């Protein structure tokens, strides 16, 4: 009887570790591999900060003739989608925010539309170096400005 327990316990542990490993490495969901940026403010406040950023830097607003509709696609949608514009390269960025908790929100840069109208997912359609380059550009041109705006809210 002791020999059976000695054999079953390691097998059970190996199975549990394998399940956890597969769960982490093959994460389900629509945006499982997308890089997320955490803000320590509620979702509604982050959305207001994004709108403020677009009013401060109007070049980030997507021209109306592109037909981009911001917000949730339905009342059950987890993600609030918004769009930003790189006017110099005529590219549209698809981003979303989602509440992580009552006091924190995740923001993600999901895809980019080139000047020819073709959408490319950052985590699927770009090689690793090009994706990192796009993310760095996003961080420098958008995220740093947004962090300055949100820091003012956090400090008040």
């Amino acid at each position: 009887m002791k020999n059976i327990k000695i054999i079953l316990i390691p097998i059970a542990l190996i199975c549990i570790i394998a399940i956890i490993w597969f769960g982490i490495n093959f994460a389900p969901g629509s945006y499982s591999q997308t890089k997320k940026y955490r803000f320590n403010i509620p979702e509604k406040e982050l959305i207001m900060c994004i709108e403020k950023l677009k009013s401060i830097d109007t070049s980030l607003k997507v021209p109306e003739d592109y037909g981009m509709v911001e917000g949730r696609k339905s009342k059950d949608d987890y993600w609030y989608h918004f769009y930003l514009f790189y006017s110099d390269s005529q590219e549209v960025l698809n981003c979303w925010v989602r509440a992580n908790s009552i006091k924190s929100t995740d923001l993600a840069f999901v895809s980019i539309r080139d000047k020819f109208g073709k959408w490319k997912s950052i985590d699927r359609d770009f090689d690793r170096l090009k994706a990192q380059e796009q993310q760095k550009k996003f961080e420098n041109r958008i995220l740093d400005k947004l962090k300055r705006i949100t820091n003012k809210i956090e400090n008040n």
Side-chain angles (χ1 to χ4, degrees), residues 14-70:
I14 290 170
C15 289
I16 290 169
I17 291 169
I19 289 169
I20 291 170
W21 183 84
F22 277 107
I24 291 170
N25 290 305
F26 299 104
S30 298
Y31 304 107
S32 61
Q33 301 299 319
T34 302
K35 184 175 181 181
K36 297 165 188 75
Y37 304 92
R38 177 126 330 139
F39 288 84
N40 292 321
I41 60 174
E43 181 185 58
K44 285 184 181 182
E45 288 184 25
L46 182 57
I47 293 169
M48 288 181 355
C49 291
I50 292 164
E51 292 303 318
K52 185 174 183 173
L53 173 64
K54 290 197 278 187
S55 69
I56 292 169
D57 185 354
T58 57
S59 69
L60 294 175
K61 288 183 182 180
V62 180
E64 287 188 26
D65 58 326
Y66 278 72
M68 300 293 150
V69 179
E70 295 187 349

Side-chain angles (χ1 to χ4, degrees), residues 100-111:
N100 191 40
S101 70
I102 295 171
K103 294 182 179 180
S104 74
T105 306
D106 289 338
L107 179 146
F109 170 33
V110 180
S111 58

Side-chain angles (χ1 to χ4, degrees), residues 140-152:
N140 292 334
R141 292 179 77 172
I142 309 290
L143 207 61
D144 290 346
K145 294 176 186 177
L146 189 58
K147 284 181 181 179
R148 284 194 291 273
I149 293 170
T150 60
N151 283 339
K152 290 178 185 175

Side-chain angles (χ1 to χ4, degrees), residues 81-144:
H81 286 269
F82 66 96
Y83 302 93
L84 299 166
F85 191 62
Y86 289 156
S87 56
D88 56 342
S89 58
Q90 302 295 303
E91 295 172 315
V92 177
L93 283 61
N94 175 20
C95 305
W96 57 252
V97 294
R98 180 180 179 182
N100 191 40
S101 70
I102 295 171
K103 294 182 179 180
S104 74
T105 306
D106 289 338
L107 179 146
F109 170 33
V110 180
S111 58
I112 193 163
R113 179 184 172 196
D114 64 22
K115 62 183 174 184
F116 305 110
K118 184 175 181 191
W119 284 101
K120 289 185 178 181
S121 173
I122 296 300
D123 61 341
R124 283 180 284 189
D125 297 328
F126 288 101
D127 62 51
R128 180 170 286 202
L129 287 174
K130 191 70 170 168
Q132 288 175 342
E133 180 182 303
Q134 287 291 344
Q135 287 172 337
K136 198 65 160 167
K137 183 177 172 183
F138 173 76
E139 290 168 3
N140 292 334
R141 292 179 77 172
I142 309 290
L143 207 61
D144 290 346

Side-chain angles (χ1 to χ4, degrees), residues 67-79:
M68 300 293 150
V69 179
E70 295 187 349
R72 300 183 197 287
K73 293 180 176 46
S74 70
K75 64 179 181 147
D76 299 324
D77 196 356
Y78 295 115
W79 304 280

